[in-house]
Amino acid sequence: MNIKGKRIIVTGGGSGMGNAAVRRFADEGARVVTIDLNDQQAYKDVIAMKGNVTDKAQITEVIGEAVKKLGGLDALFNIAGVNRFCKVEETAEDTMDFILSVNVKGLLFCCQAAFPYLKENGGSIINFGSQAADNSGPDSAIYSASKAAVASITRKIAWEWGQYGIRANTVEPSAWTPLFEQISDAIPFL
């Protein structure tokens, strides 16, 4: 990776894959701001900020402040994500609202907030999807639907914002994270 000096914002950097990404980017010499709902431990020169991706006004302000601290923006990594496991027939409205609010609305709000800064010089948006969007798994219909929406939104962003030199991609990583530990308990062969 040649990301030395690149200015990167990572959402969901307080734990799991987000935290691993933040550490790797910092180790490779990138300038990083991590945004998470929870308090985060400092790592090297990484700037940790609190922000709620589901609050459009707040996340727009936080991303604006992050860009100021970085002196610009080269890449946005949307890694923040949630799940609540439940059977399709038992999925409550508040569960559905929670998952879709973070995984879909929050991701879109972050992309919208970063757009004016990325539009200046181009850059990258990397949205974290999931293999669950295309595969079945236990008790996660709404999570799977939310990650299918992430892939769709990302394709539309690439199509619409490509004219500004903005690249948008979805990745579907697999890693042993706190969220995956919850899944593994429900899968008999893991």
Side-chain angles (χ1 to χ4, degrees):
M1 262 190 322
N2 185 13
I3 60 170
K4 187 171 181 143
K6 295 290 185 186
R7 300 158 301 181
I8 301 172
I9 294 175
V10 178
T11 68
S15 67
M17 285 185 275
N19 186 261
V22 165
R23 290 171 177 272
R24 178 65 186 264
F25 296 154
D27 288 344
E28 295 291 329
R31 296 171 51 209
V32 183
V33 170
T34 177
I35 301 170
D36 200 282
L37 187 59
N38 302 309
D39 287 327
Q40 306 167 65
Q41 285 194 328
Y43 181 76
K44 291 192 173 183
D45 295 328
V46 173
I47 301 166
M49 299 178 72
K50 264 188 133 170
N52 182 348
V53 298
T54 68
D55 184 328
K56 185 173 184 174
Q58 183 189 103
I59 201 62
T60 299
E61 183 178 327
V62 171
I63 286 179
E65 286 300 313
V67 171
K68 283 181 191 172
K69 290 174 186 280
L70 291 171
L73 184 60
D74 297 304
L76 169 67
F77 280 73
N78 283 308
I79 304 177
V82 296
N83 194 4
R84 287 185 181 160
F85 298 93
C86 56
K87 297 186 181 320
V88 173
E89 69 273 15
E90 297 171 359
T91 302
E93 185 176 359
D94 66 332
T95 295
M96 187 172 177
D97 290 345
F98 173 67
I99 294 168
L100 294 176
S101 185
V102 174
N103 296 358
V104 180
K105 283 175 42 178
L107 175 131
L108 181 61
F109 293 162
C110 290
C111 290
Q112 290 172 331
F115 175 65
Y117 307 107
L118 291 171
K119 186 179 175 182
E120 291 176 9
N121 300 307
S124 295
I125 296 173
I126 308 298
N127 293 326
F128 273 48
S130 172
Q131 295 172 8
D134 302 314
N135 301 306
S136 60
D139 305 334
S140 59
I142 303 306
Y143 176 78
S144 297
S146 75
K147 292 304 184 173
V150 166
S152 181
I153 290 168
T154 305
R155 286 191 299 272
K156 299 307 178 196
I157 288 171
W159 177 260
E160 293 181 20
W161 296 353
Q163 64 183 313
Y164 305 110
I166 299 171
R167 298 170 307 283
N169 292 283
T170 303
V171 296
E172 296 181 353
S174 291
W176 198 267
T177 66
L179 182 59
F180 191 76
E181 285 179 23
Q182 295 172 357
I183 297 171
S184 69
D185 291 339
I187 303 174
F189 56 83
L190 286 179

